[in-house]
Amino acid sequence: MSTSSKPYEKYAWLRPGNHVIVLFGATGDLAKRKLLPGLYHLSVTGLMPDEYRIIGSAPQQSALSDADFIAHAKSAVAEFGNTPPSSEAWDEFASRLSFGAASPEDPSPLVSAVEAAEKAIGPAHPPRRLFHLAVPPVAFESVIGLLGSSGLAKPDSKVIIEKPFGTDLESARKLNAAVHAVFDESQVFRIDHFLGKESVDNILAFRFGNGLFEPIWNRDHIDYVQIDVPETLDVADRGAFYDATGAYRDMVVTHLFQVLGFVAMEPPTSLDAKPLRDEKSKVFDSLNPIDPRHVVRGQYDGYRSVPGVRPDSDTETMVAVRVYVDNWRWHGVPFYLRSGKTMAASRQTVTLGFRRPPLRMFRESRHGSATGSVNEIFIDFADPGSISIDFMAKEPGPEMNLESAEMKFSYATSLAESMALEGYERLLLEAMQGDQSLFTRADGIERVWEISEPLLTSPPPAQIYEPGTWGPPGVDKLIDPHRWHLR
């Protein structure tokens, strides 16, 4: 692909300044599936800096030569990328790749690789450094310490930290302290790839860009909100990790609460990082502490047979939570959050149910009672994403009967879906641009762990559920008298 065919080439202002990007954990699964394919796609679309270098890094025992790292990256792009590594485009990208091993005892190979990359870019437009910690959470502090002690972390450097950020309030505070000992908060990008999705960002456009919806986005009109992210996958070969983590820490704290912040926030004064994150932080401040009585924990039958899982494990593989945002907009409106493994479908959805109007004037439809129907806004934020509105319409015929109808917008059939960026691609670009709008702030993540303390301290026992179902029976009791949109 020639550079003239890059779809974003004409949007020069979107391109960040020159960068040296260091991928810690470059031989791991996240780099293979998301980061290397994502960076290549940004290059193909014309959104990478004019000059950049990407340095893979790992401990010495996993070190690669430059040539082996390039081959590893090409294999990752071919297997997981949405753009194949064609000759000209790939050669251009591959020329920017190198490898530098690093360990706390000896970071010198990485230091040398960074210095060589910066020298290759030249002093006319010196690059900024971006470090991406695609490593297990237990390694976060040691890698941060390495960046500080080696001098790699400069005042204009930035660091991307993966989830989960801590496992409870105490560990989150400890990790924040370790990070802030090396980086200012303005340099820290705690990443949640859900927030990079076009369809999640479209929640803001849908709410605040349309005079039709924002006036009814409150407790006077909304009866309940659901954020539902079931998965059909099991824990696979992640038994030991998952058994120490569970569905609540793995999905609810790191993803679902962040989506809740977008759904429930007040209108920000702008979409810049500070006002946007201020409003999301206010939502987290308004969340009531999690009541364990409002939580259903489930464990799929057969989980305890997974290698790495304790034979008597009570770790939840599914969790459903009822929470309340106690402010003027949402007081009394339940927010239902659900996520789990081996469930009946893989979906990523937000549902807002409206209060029922009096319908006694209408006769019962031949397909059921009109009074049993609910008006809902249904947002599917799994790529490519869609928004639909369920409403009542007259059933054709001589009688005034009601039937459910739907209006739907879908990225798959609307606008320019081909121009969309995958979540990680969008967030990598924004980190290079220095835009923290879609990244989590220290106070926000600590507040979410704070409200979780009652549940983490006294979790209800996990109920067994069959794989391929929507969870144990308690899931439906939790939401009664409402019902799950996905059921």
Side-chain angles (χ1 to χ4, degrees):
M1 176 182 294
S2 66
T3 55
S4 62
S5 64
K6 295 180 177 182
Y8 284 104
E9 190 74 23
K10 61 183 178 181
Y11 300 108
W13 65 89
L14 293 175
R15 304 177 73 179
N18 296 342
H19 267 76
V20 171
I21 302 167
V22 178
L23 300 182
F24 288 95
T27 59
D29 193 61
L30 177 60
K32 180 173 67 174
R33 291 176 176 271
K34 295 293 184 180
L35 305 184
L36 292 167
L39 288 166
Y40 175 67
H41 187 237
L42 289 176
S43 173
V44 169
T45 56
L47 288 173
M48 288 297 282
D50 289 331
E51 289 292 340
Y52 67 93
R53 296 295 185 275
I54 299 169
I55 302 171
S57 189
Q60 188 63 49
Q61 61 268 27
S62 302
L64 301 176
S65 67
D66 290 354
D68 287 342
F69 179 54
I70 291 171
H72 170 77
K74 187 172 186 178
S75 174
V77 170
E79 184 176 359
F80 297 105
N82 55 17
T83 304
S86 62
S87 56
E88 184 179 347
W90 173 255
D91 290 344
E92 178 187 341
F93 181 75
S95 68
R96 320 290 185 112
L97 303 180
S98 62
F99 199 90
S103 64
E105 300 77 25
D106 183 17
S108 58
L110 177 59
V111 173
S112 297
V114 171
E115 291 174 348
E118 291 180 337
K119 184 178 180 180
I121 291 174
H125 300 285
R128 297 185 68 175
R129 297 174 180 178
L130 174 63
F131 305 102
H132 194 131
L133 275 57
V135 297
V138 295
F140 288 165
E141 287 192 45
S142 64
V143 175
I144 293 291
L146 180 153
L147 293 173
S149 63
S150 66
L152 285 169
K154 292 185 173 182
D156 65 346
S157 300
K158 294 163 289 190
V159 61
I160 297 175
I161 303 177
E162 286 288 337
K163 64 98 174 174
F165 196 90
T167 57
D168 54 22
L169 179 58
E170 181 181 0
S171 62
R173 285 174 172 168
K174 182 173 180 286
L175 181 53
N176 272 328
V179 171
H180 290 154
V182 178
F183 294 95
D184 183 78
E185 179 65 20
S186 63
Q187 300 172 267
V188 182
F189 294 74
R190 298 171 191 82
I191 195 167
D192 173 12
H193 70 274
F194 271 35
L195 298 189
K197 290 173 172 285
E198 292 277 3
S199 44
V200 171
D201 295 345
N202 206 25
I203 295 172
L204 298 180
F206 185 74
R207 278 190 64 185
F208 302 131
N210 297 286
L212 178 62
F213 302 113
E214 175 55 24
I216 59 173
W217 207 272
N218 56 57
R219 61 191 172 102
D220 293 330
H221 302 278
I222 302 296
D223 198 24
Y224 58 85
V225 180
Q226 301 172 18
I227 303 175
D228 204 0
V229 185
E231 298 178 276
T232 56
L233 298 174
D234 58 20
V235 301
D237 58 354
R238 301 168 68 224
F241 164 79
Y242 203 90
D243 205 44
T245 306
Y248 184 80
R249 287 181 171 93
D250 188 45
M251 290 296 295
V252 176
V253 171
T254 55
H255 295 315
L256 273 62
F257 274 129
Q258 300 304 317
V259 176
L260 185 152
F262 269 47
V263 172
M265 69 166 60
E266 295 298 316
T269 55
S270 77
L271 296 180
D272 293 336
K274 186 180 186 307
L276 190 66
R277 300 207 296 177
D278 282 349
E279 294 304 334
K280 195 165 67 164
S281 183
K282 291 176 185 177
V283 173
F284 296 153
D285 286 343
S286 300
L287 283 169
N288 287 335
I290 304 297
D291 187 338
R293 296 172 299 178
H294 297 165
V295 177
V296 175
R297 297 169 68 246
Q299 184 185 97
Y300 68 79
D301 191 21
Y303 169 74
R304 294 179 183 179
S305 301
V306 174
V309 173
R310 294 163 296 156
D312 60 347
S313 174
D314 189 54
T315 298
E316 79 282 357
T317 61
M318 189 243 45
V319 65
V321 186
R322 183 167 77 231
V323 299
Y324 292 92
V325 180
D326 198 9
N327 61 18
W328 281 96
R329 180 182 290 266
W330 296 111
H331 177 76
V333 176
F335 284 71
Y336 302 106
L337 316 181
R338 178 174 66 173
S339 185
K341 299 290 188 181
T342 69
M343 298 185 71
S346 288
R347 302 292 296 276
Q348 299 171 8
T349 66
V350 174
T351 305
L352 297 97
F354 287 86
R355 297 194 180 279
R356 297 174 187 266
L359 296 174
R360 290 184 61 191
M361 69 190 77
F362 297 101
R363 296 182 182 180
E364 180 177 304
S365 164
R366 66 173 181 268
H367 300 300
S369 173
T371 58
S373 301
V374 179
N375 301 135
E376 291 181 329
I377 296 175
F378 180 69
I379 303 169
D380 189 332
F381 61 92
D383 293 330
S386 65
I387 299 176
S388 59
I389 300 175
D390 294 337
F391 65 100
M392 303 306 298
K394 180 186 177 297
E395 179 186 81
E399 295 184 293
M400 181 58 82
N401 295 329
L402 297 183
E403 280 293 322
S404 295
E406 179 186 68
M407 293 187 294
K408 186 171 185 177
F409 159 81
S410 174
Y411 270 111
T413 56
S414 306
L415 305 179
E417 186 200 350
S418 61
M419 297 288 282
L421 299 178
E422 194 270 339
Y424 264 105
E425 296 167 5
R426 170 86 180 278
L427 294 173
L428 285 167
L429 176 63
E430 298 212 347
M432 284 188 280
Q433 293 169 333
D435 185 350
Q436 294 178 303
S437 301
L438 301 179
F439 295 85
T440 306
R441 206 164 62 186
D443 59 341
I445 193 65
E446 289 185 13
R447 173 58 182 166
V448 170
W449 283 121
E450 183 181 9
I451 65 163
S452 301
E453 285 289 283
L455 172 61
L456 299 179
T457 302
S458 303
Q463 306 172 28
I464 300 298
Y465 65 95
E466 290 300 315
T469 67
W470 290 109
V475 170
D476 291 325
K477 294 179 181 177
L478 176 74
I479 201 171
D480 188 67
H482 308 117
R483 58 181 181 173
W484 296 98
H485 185 99
L486 299 178
R487 57 188 183 274

